[in-house]
């Protein structure tokens, strides 16, 4: 910015603190608004400054009072005030700068979808509610002052007017007009009459009609009431327009009444009670702030700190914090202690008031029981700077009143002492978002907390887990985190991190189980353990039943832990247990919150998985609707979830269909198209169509010929035959040997190429060729785990099962991970080990080894070349057949026979349209299933 801009006076005043970049337009004749960079924090801000001619004593006082009032609004849907001061005679304050698109700019392209518009309206109303609570109205609210940033709508206008009924009414009318414009792409015009409502979805009309009513007295009286109705639209609306089609078709056909229940929200009575809730002794509610948003924020934080500390205290069962937060939000942040005790099914509910006068804080806590009896605790005081100590005092008060025998065990959290207030606020905002299943927002707040205080361990630990559970590919370095912060973590968290850092999966599971034993009532810790069992337990012989039991324990401890339901549902779908899957999905719907911006709408995809697995005709309707009405947002979600259909839900036909849809509608780049074709190949392989699968893989490599893709292309011509699947025409071509031989000469690809060549040779009985390739690999990489595994393969081929097992056992930890030395190595390792164990007569050991295919061990949402967990999922039908046949051969009871036949029948169903190359395998499978009860 140069001199002619007329802002030299401002540059000279703020130059030590800010670098001016460009003027954003004057919000009034007395002010300027400039985009600048805060030099101390190295971030963009919007700087609002009082012009020299308006800088009188009275003008400065009013300006700073305005800044202080705006700064009281601490809310994610309102642009925040960072600092306000007088710099070298110029009053100014710095505002949050949002690098997003205004609603007006977005509408110049196209209107928003109905659900997106409803979400935006909700965000605007949340921002207004927070503004009105501190006495700020927003007369400048319009489409130009609403910005979409990081998946949320944010108010960026400079509210000025004091709150009074007329100003509130004007704000709500402006919000409704913005929501109308968002959903229709038109400016609200009341003179159009009924014509104005034609573009508005019918279910949205009643809410907007009232909000835009001609007479102010007919509109919503406040932002809270309007906001609740908008949120109800999100809660009660179907997640997909085609859900109504599938549901109504089920009712009309009288063939699937349960489908209607799964898709519809027409049975709210089913969800009034928290599903699976176990009565507790204590629920600690957020402290209210007497109408002061600053005190509300601190009150939430103090209650959360006390809850954290009580989590380490044995003998006092507490309602999980996420359940408390959800109840508190459903109640509109206004609860009554006795009713809370009844609603949350606890013996006591603790609720109180936080007052703030300047830097002075005071807490008055009251304990209620279900009969309405109350016990008031003495008021305690502290300052803002010592409010963590205030939280400890409140915790001690609570324990002393309810369980005095536990007071000697109460210990404050060392990680919170000395943490700056800004970092704590961001952390607890992250905790609230996490409790609402708004994981993208939680991640963002944890990042802010970590930046504000780089020594603060808790947000870093939460961030590691949220990224993993979101399947985020962001760089993560748990060992480095532990080196920096391990000493400041709670003993439980430290034990959990140490467990996750254990490279050997069997020992990792044992260490996590020991950590859970330290705090058996901690749902968060138990979910970490159950999640490990779900994804990696089968690699060390723990079948899905073990993971299912642990996920059930998580739900018993915290009945609102949505991701535990997601995992449990996956177990039941894969097992073909329709009734249990339907029940879990219904409970999952009961704990569902709105799908937050930036987060995957998981519930919709769980519903589709249920229909595709158990009600195929209804699932087919869903796929048709997706193809017909697919939006960019929906296609983006499909790109995330398409390739988990085979390994997570055992519905490979769904994976093929979704990846085909991506090819037709969404895959705009060669890499995206190659990824979709890879997903189709994996699904086709699971469906017993290897030739079609190999054609898709070849096309993927032609589109995006990375070294990894080229290696996998060749390995698919070796591994299936080695583990017992028929040799396909494409795999029999000699050119693949020559290609692998050539890749074996390149140091970058030598180890895996020679591994693949050795597997091809032994699969066709060429032991001499196998030994030559194995010797080359030994020479190229002495001690390579792949070379060791090949030694075991060679011994097994000679009938030396015991020797082969001893060799394989020496490298087990290397293969029971999500990044083995080769993505096909796990299939070879587990299938052949099961054979060797069976040959040695160890049937129990063979059965434990045979459950490996139930794992789903891969990083992120799969894209690009296949990961090990995906490849193992593609082989799952074959592995299931082998396991079922072995169990059937040794079945001694009717239950054994039924369990074995369920495995065989599932593979038989998936291979219903198998290629001719699979005829012999199909004949064997058909023969075996004749022994099954009909």
């Amino acid at each position: 910015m140069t001199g002619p801009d007329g802002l030299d006076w401002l540059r000279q005043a703020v130059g030590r603190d800010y670098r001016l970049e460009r003027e954003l337009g004057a919000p009034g004749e007395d002010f300027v608004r400039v985009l600048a960079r805060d030099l101390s924090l190295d971030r963009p801000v919007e700087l609002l400054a009082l012009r020299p001619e308006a800088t009188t004593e009275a003008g400065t006082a009013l300006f700073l009072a305005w800044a202080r009032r705006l700064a009281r609004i601490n809310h994610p849907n309102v642009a925040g005030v960072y600092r306000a001061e007088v710099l070298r005679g110029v009053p100014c304050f710095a505002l949050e700068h949002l690098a997003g698109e205004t609603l007006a700019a977005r509408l110049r392209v196209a209107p928003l979808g109905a659900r997106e518009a409803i979400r935006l309206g909700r965000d605007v109303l949340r921002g207004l509610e927070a503004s009105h609570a501190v006495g700020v109205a927003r007369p400048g609210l319009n489409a130009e002052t609403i910005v979409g940033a990081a998946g949320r709508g944010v108010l960026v206008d400079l509210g000025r007017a004091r709150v009074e009924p007329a100003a509130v009414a004007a704000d709500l009318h402006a919000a409704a007009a913005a929501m109308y414009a968002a959903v229709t792409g038109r400016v609200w015009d009341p003179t159009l009459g009924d014509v104005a409502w034609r573009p508005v979805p019918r279910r949205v009309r009643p809410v907007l009609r009232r909000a835009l009513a001609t007479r102010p007295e007919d509109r919503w009286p406040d932002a809270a009431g309007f906001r609740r109705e908008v949120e109800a639209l999100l809660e009660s609306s179907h997640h997909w327009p085609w859900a109504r089609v599938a549901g109504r078709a089920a009712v009309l056909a009288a063939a699937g009444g349960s489908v209607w229940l799964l898709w519809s929200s027409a049975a709210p009575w089913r969800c009034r009670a928290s599903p699976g809730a176990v009565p507790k002794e204590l629920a600690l509610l957020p402290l209210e702030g007497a109408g002061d948003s600053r005190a509300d924020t601190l009150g939430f934080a103090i209650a959360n700190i006390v809850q954290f500390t009580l989590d380490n205290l044995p003998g006092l069962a507490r309602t999980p914090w996420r359940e408390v937060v959800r109840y508190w939000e459903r109640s509109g942040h206004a609860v009554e202690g006795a009713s809370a005790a009844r609603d949350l099914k606890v013996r006591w509910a603790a609720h109180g008031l936080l007052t703030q006068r300047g830097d002075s804080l005071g807490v008055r806590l009251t304990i209620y029981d279900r009969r309405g009896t109350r016990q008031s605790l003495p008021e305690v005081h502290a300052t803002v700077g010592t409010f963590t100590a205030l939280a400890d005092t409140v915790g001690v008060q609570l324990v002393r009143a309810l369980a005095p025998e536990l007071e000697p065990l109460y210990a404050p959290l060392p990680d919170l002492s000395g943490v700056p207030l800004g970092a704590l606020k961001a952390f607890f905002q992250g905790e609230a978002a996490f409790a609402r299943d708004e994981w993208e927002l939680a991640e963002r707040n944890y990042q802010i907390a970590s930046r504000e205080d780089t020594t603060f361990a808790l947000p870093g630990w939460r961030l590691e887990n949220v990224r993993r559970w979101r399947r985020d590919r962001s760089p993560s370095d748990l060992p480095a985190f532990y080196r920096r912060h391990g000493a400041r973590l709670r003993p439980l968290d430290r034990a959990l991190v140490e467990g996750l850092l254990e490279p050997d999966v069997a020992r990792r599971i044992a260490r996590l189980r020991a950590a859970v034993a330290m705090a058996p009532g901690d749902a968060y810790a138990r979910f970490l353990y159950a999640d490990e069992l779900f994804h990696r337990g089968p690699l060390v012989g723990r079948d899905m039943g073990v993971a299912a039991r642990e996920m059930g324990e998580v739900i018993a401890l915290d009945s609102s832990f949505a991701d535990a339901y997601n995992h449990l549902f996956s177990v039941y779908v894969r097992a073909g247990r329709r009734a249990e899957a339907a029940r879990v999905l219904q409970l999952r719907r009961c704990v569902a919150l709105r799908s937050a911006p930036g987060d995957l709408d998981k519930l919709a995809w769980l519903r589709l998985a249920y229909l595709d697995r158990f009600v195929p005709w209804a699932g087919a309707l869903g796929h048709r609707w997706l193809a017909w009405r697919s939006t960019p947002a929906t296609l983006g979600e499909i790109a995330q979830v398409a390739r988990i259909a085979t390994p997570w839900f055992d519905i490979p036909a769904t994976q093929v269909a979704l990846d085909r849809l991506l090819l037709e509608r969404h895959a705009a780049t060669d890499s995206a198209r190659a990824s979709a074709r890879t997903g189709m190949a994996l699904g086709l392989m699971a469906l017993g169509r290897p030739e079609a699968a190999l054609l898709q893989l070849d096309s993927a490599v032609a589109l995006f010929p990375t070294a990894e893709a080229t290696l996998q292309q060749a390995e698919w011509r070796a591994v299936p035959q080695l583990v017992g699947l028929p040799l396909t025409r494409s795999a029999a071509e000699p050119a693949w040997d020559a290609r692998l031989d050539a890749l074996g000469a390149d140091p970058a690809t030598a180890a895996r190429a020679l591994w693949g060549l050795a597997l091809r040779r032994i699969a066709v009985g060429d032991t001499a060729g196998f030994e030559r390739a194995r010797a080359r690999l030994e020479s190229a990489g002495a001690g390579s785990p792949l070379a060791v595994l090949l030694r075991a393969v060679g011994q097994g081929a000679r009938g030396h099962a015991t020797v082969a097992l001893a060799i394989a056992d020496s490298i087990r930890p290397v293969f029971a991970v999500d990044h083995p030395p080769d993505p096909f190595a796990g299939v070879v390792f587990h299938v052949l080990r099961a054979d060797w164990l069976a040959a040695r007569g160890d049937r129990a050991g063979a059965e434990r080894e045979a459950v490996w295919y139930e794992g789903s061990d891969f990083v992120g949402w799969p894209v690009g070349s296949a990961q090990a967990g995906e490849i193992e999922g593609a082989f799952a039908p074959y592995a299931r057949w082998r396991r079922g046949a072995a169990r059937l051969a040794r079945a001694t009871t009717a239950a054994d026979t039924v369990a074995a036949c369920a495995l065989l029948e599932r593979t038989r169903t998936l291979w219903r349209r198998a290629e001719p190359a699979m005829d012999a395998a199909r004949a064997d499978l058909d023969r075996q299933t004749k022994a099954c009860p009909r």
Side-chain angles (χ1 to χ4, degrees):
M1 186 173 286
T2 58
D5 58 24
L7 294 177
D8 286 343
W9 60 274
L10 181 59
R11 188 176 297 103
Q12 292 170 4
V14 305
R16 296 178 187 173
D17 300 270
Y18 301 96
R19 184 179 67 247
L20 307 188
E21 296 184 356
R22 59 184 172 86
E23 192 169 357
L24 297 174
E29 60 182 17
D30 291 338
F31 317 105
V32 293
R33 190 174 187 173
V34 180
L35 179 63
R37 178 155 292 275
D38 185 328
L39 299 177
S40 62
L41 296 176
D42 191 27
R43 63 179 173 186
V45 297
E46 295 184 15
L47 196 63
L48 198 73
L50 197 60
R51 293 184 185 276
E53 56 269 26
T55 307
T56 62
E57 184 176 349
T60 298
L62 288 172
F63 181 85
L64 295 178
W66 172 31
R68 284 193 292 270
R69 186 172 293 276
L70 291 177
R72 292 176 62 189
I73 308 169
N74 185 6
H75 197 276
N77 299 120
V78 180
V81 173
Y82 292 142
R83 52 195 283 204
E85 56 200 323
V86 178
L87 291 174
R88 284 163 287 285
V90 174
C92 56
F93 61 88
L95 294 157
E96 178 183 9
H97 175 67
L98 293 148
E101 186 178 39
T102 67
L103 175 59
R106 173 72 184 274
L107 294 179
R108 284 193 283 271
V109 178
L112 281 60
R115 295 195 73 232
E116 189 178 1
I118 295 169
R119 284 197 190 108
L120 181 73
R122 175 203 64 193
D123 290 351
V124 168
L125 290 166
R126 285 177 172 177
L128 284 179
E129 192 175 355
S131 300
H132 293 170
V134 300
V136 173
R138 298 191 171 272
L141 178 63
N142 57 45
E144 291 284 359
T145 61
I146 299 170
V147 170
R152 72 190 197 276
V154 184
L155 305 182
V156 299
D157 68 300
L158 298 168
R160 296 295 304 278
R162 297 291 292 246
V163 168
E164 55 186 26
V168 169
D171 282 357
L172 300 186
H173 190 272
M179 190 173 166
Y180 175 90
V183 80
T184 65
R186 302 176 179 179
V187 175
W188 166 245
D189 184 354
T191 64
L192 295 177
D194 288 341
V195 174
W197 297 103
R198 289 177 185 170
V200 180
R202 291 185 179 180
R203 58 191 170 91
V204 181
R205 289 179 193 174
V207 176
L208 281 184
R209 276 188 181 275
R210 179 173 177 182
L212 293 169
T214 304
R215 298 192 312 163
E217 58 268 27
D218 294 334
R219 302 173 191 161
W220 303 103
D222 54 34
F226 190 1
R227 185 255 309 158
R228 282 193 291 268
E229 290 299 319
V230 171
E231 287 179 344
L233 283 175
L234 286 174
E235 294 286 349
S236 64
S237 65
H238 305 303
H239 284 268
W240 301 95
W242 47 268
R244 295 194 298 273
V245 176
R248 290 169 183 166
V251 172
L252 292 172
S258 63
V259 178
W260 171 250
L261 175 62
L262 290 168
W263 285 104
S264 171
S265 57
W269 56 271
R270 286 182 170 269
C271 297
R272 285 178 184 168
S274 186
V278 176
K280 309 288 185 183
E281 288 187 278
L282 172 66
L284 176 62
L285 300 164
L287 305 178
E288 293 187 18
D292 187 325
S293 66
R294 292 175 302 169
D296 278 335
T297 302
L298 291 176
F300 186 95
I302 287 173
N304 206 347
I305 292 172
V306 175
Q307 180 84 15
F308 261 118
T309 311
L310 293 179
D311 283 343
N312 287 330
L313 187 69
L316 188 63
R318 296 158 307 285
T319 300
W321 183 242
R322 62 190 296 119
E323 283 193 29
V324 172
V325 171
R326 290 180 178 210
Y327 172 75
W328 182 62
E329 295 215 335
R330 286 197 304 270
S331 305
H333 301 188
V335 295
E336 194 277 320
S339 62
R342 291 191 297 270
D343 294 343
L344 291 170
K345 300 180 182 178
V346 291
R347 183 177 179 185
W348 300 294
H351 190 210
L353 182 69
L354 174 70
T355 57
Q356 180 173 4
R357 296 180 180 86
D359 283 342
S360 176
L361 302 175
V363 172
R364 294 197 302 274
L365 200 65
T366 303
I367 302 171
Y368 303 81
D369 65 20
R370 279 179 284 187
R371 297 187 302 272
T373 305
R374 66 177 63 191
Q375 176 185 357
S376 296
L377 303 182
E379 184 168 3
V380 293
H381 297 275
T383 64
V384 171
T386 60
F387 93 105
T388 53
L390 176 63
D392 289 332
T393 304
V394 171
V396 171
Q397 270 195 332
L398 201 54
V399 172
R400 189 175 294 156
L402 300 180
E405 70 280 6
L406 299 179
E407 186 179 347
L409 301 178
Y410 183 93
L413 290 179
D415 192 40
L416 297 180
S417 59
V419 176
L421 183 58
L424 285 171
K425 281 185 176 181
F427 172 70
F428 289 118
Q429 286 170 353
E431 290 289 279
F434 179 77
R436 297 191 299 266
D437 293 326
E438 293 184 340
W439 288 14
E440 193 274 340
L441 181 59
E443 181 176 345
R444 191 161 60 248
N445 277 293
Y446 293 146
Q447 288 173 328
I448 293 170
S450 295
R451 286 198 301 268
E452 291 283 332
D453 183 354
T454 57
T455 67
F456 191 8
L458 271 174
W461 169 229
R462 287 291 201 258
L463 191 59
E464 292 284 339
N465 289 320
V466 167
R467 283 175 171 169
R468 191 148 50 92
W469 294 339
R470 289 186 74 205
R471 310 201 70 80
D472 193 337
R473 285 178 173 266
S474 300
S476 175
D477 191 346
L478 192 59
F481 166 79
Y482 183 67
R483 287 193 298 271
R484 289 195 307 270
H485 297 296
R488 286 186 291 273
L489 289 171
R490 294 182 300 172
L492 171 61
D493 292 328
R494 189 160 56 249
L496 291 168
V497 176
E498 290 167 352
L500 291 173
L501 289 174
E502 170 58 56
D504 184 290
V505 172
R507 288 200 291 264
R508 185 189 310 167
I509 289 173
R511 295 189 70 166
L512 290 173
R513 184 174 64 245
V516 168
M518 295 170 60
D522 191 307
Y524 193 97
R526 190 171 289 269
F527 181 77
L528 276 170
Y529 171 52
D531 183 68
E532 190 69 27
L533 286 169
F534 178 87
H535 291 295
R536 283 162 284 278
L539 300 179
V540 290
R542 313 294 176 86
D543 65 31
M544 277 292 101
V546 180
R549 287 192 294 274
E550 287 302 323
M551 286 297 171
E553 290 295 325
V554 175
I555 292 169
L557 292 170
D558 183 349
S559 60
S560 66
F561 212 124
D563 225 39
Y565 293 97
N566 298 344
H567 285 68
L568 193 56
F569 173 77
S570 173
V571 172
Y572 289 141
V573 169
R574 288 158 68 174
R577 295 165 63 176
R578 178 174 178 172
E580 291 96 331
R583 174 61 178 160
V584 171
L585 185 54
Q586 173 60 15
L587 294 176
R588 174 63 174 84
R589 188 180 71 81
C590 291
V591 303
L593 294 176
R594 55 197 170 270
S595 177
D599 289 326
L600 180 68
D601 190 355
K602 292 182 181 177
L603 186 55
W605 297 107
L606 298 183
R607 287 166 167 162
L608 180 62
Y610 177 89
L611 294 182
D612 277 353
R613 181 68 167 89
F614 300 114
V615 196
W617 64 266
L621 285 176
H623 286 279
R624 288 186 182 182
W625 188 270
L626 280 174
W628 180 42
R629 290 289 299 273
S630 51
T631 65
T634 302
L635 289 168
E637 290 199 353
I638 293 174
Q640 281 184 273
V641 304
R643 283 173 49 174
I644 68 169
T646 296
W648 276 12
F649 297 106
D650 190 34
I651 44 176
T654 301
Q655 181 159 319
V656 173
L658 294 178
D659 278 308
R660 181 178 288 120
L661 178 59
L662 290 175
L663 281 173
E664 295 170 352
R665 303 290 177 87
H666 187 66
T669 64
D670 285 346
S671 62
R673 287 190 289 272
S675 179
R677 289 197 180 277
T678 300
M680 288 181 66
L682 293 164
L684 289 166
M685 194 68 70
L687 292 169
R689 299 171 61 189
E691 284 289 1
L694 293 175
L695 284 173
Q696 291 295 334
L697 281 168
D698 293 346
S699 297
V701 174
L703 284 165
F704 205 64
T706 64
E708 179 63 31
T710 303
L711 277 168
Q712 289 192 19
Q713 182 187 25
E715 287 176 295
W716 277 111
R717 269 75 177 186
V719 174
Q721 291 72 51
L722 174 72
V723 298
L725 282 166
L727 184 68
T728 62
R729 184 180 65 255
S730 173
E733 296 172 1
W736 292 108
D737 291 271
R739 181 176 298 187
L740 285 167
D741 190 66
L743 289 169
D746 183 346
T749 56
R752 287 180 53 192
L754 294 171
W755 146 267
L757 181 60
L759 297 183
R760 270 185 64 82
R761 291 297 84 218
I762 201 166
V764 296
D766 180 6
T767 54
F770 166 77
E771 287 297 338
R772 284 194 300 272
R774 187 184 68 78
R776 287 177 63 189
L777 176 55
E778 290 273 13
S779 176
S784 160
L786 293 177
V788 175
L789 184 53
L790 284 181
R791 287 206 302 272
V793 171
Q795 292 293 332
R798 297 186 188 98
H800 303 156
T802 300
V803 176
L805 283 168
I807 295 171
D809 281 343
S810 71
I811 52 173
R812 173 183 277 280
V814 179
F815 294 97
V817 292
D818 52 14
H819 285 301
D822 182 89
F824 290 85
V827 175
V828 175
F829 180 86
H830 294 293
V831 170
L832 296 186
R833 267 187 58 85
D835 285 346
W836 300 333
L837 286 163
R840 205 174 62 173
D842 185 355
R843 292 181 174 178
E847 167 64 16
R848 286 194 300 273
E849 197 71 50
V851 303
W852 61 270
Y853 67 88
E854 293 183 341
S856 55
D857 193 20
F858 45 80
V859 178
W861 300 105
V863 294
S865 297
Q867 296 187 46
E870 293 184 276
I871 290 171
E872 291 163 4
F875 281 94
Y878 172 67
R880 188 185 294 111
W881 170 30
R882 289 168 51 95
R883 183 185 176 199
R887 294 185 70 172
L888 188 63
R890 65 174 188 270
T892 57
T893 66
D896 291 341
T897 300
V898 169
C901 288
L903 297 170
L904 296 174
E905 288 290 354
R906 180 56 183 159
T907 298
R908 191 165 178 261
T909 298
L910 290 175
W911 286 358
R912 185 174 60 252
R913 298 179 181 174
E915 291 172 346
M918 301 288 292
D919 284 350
R922 275 294 310 268
D924 286 347
L925 182 55
D926 290 342
R927 176 179 49 78
Q928 290 162 348
T929 55
K930 285 181 180 178
C932 293
R934 301 293 176 187

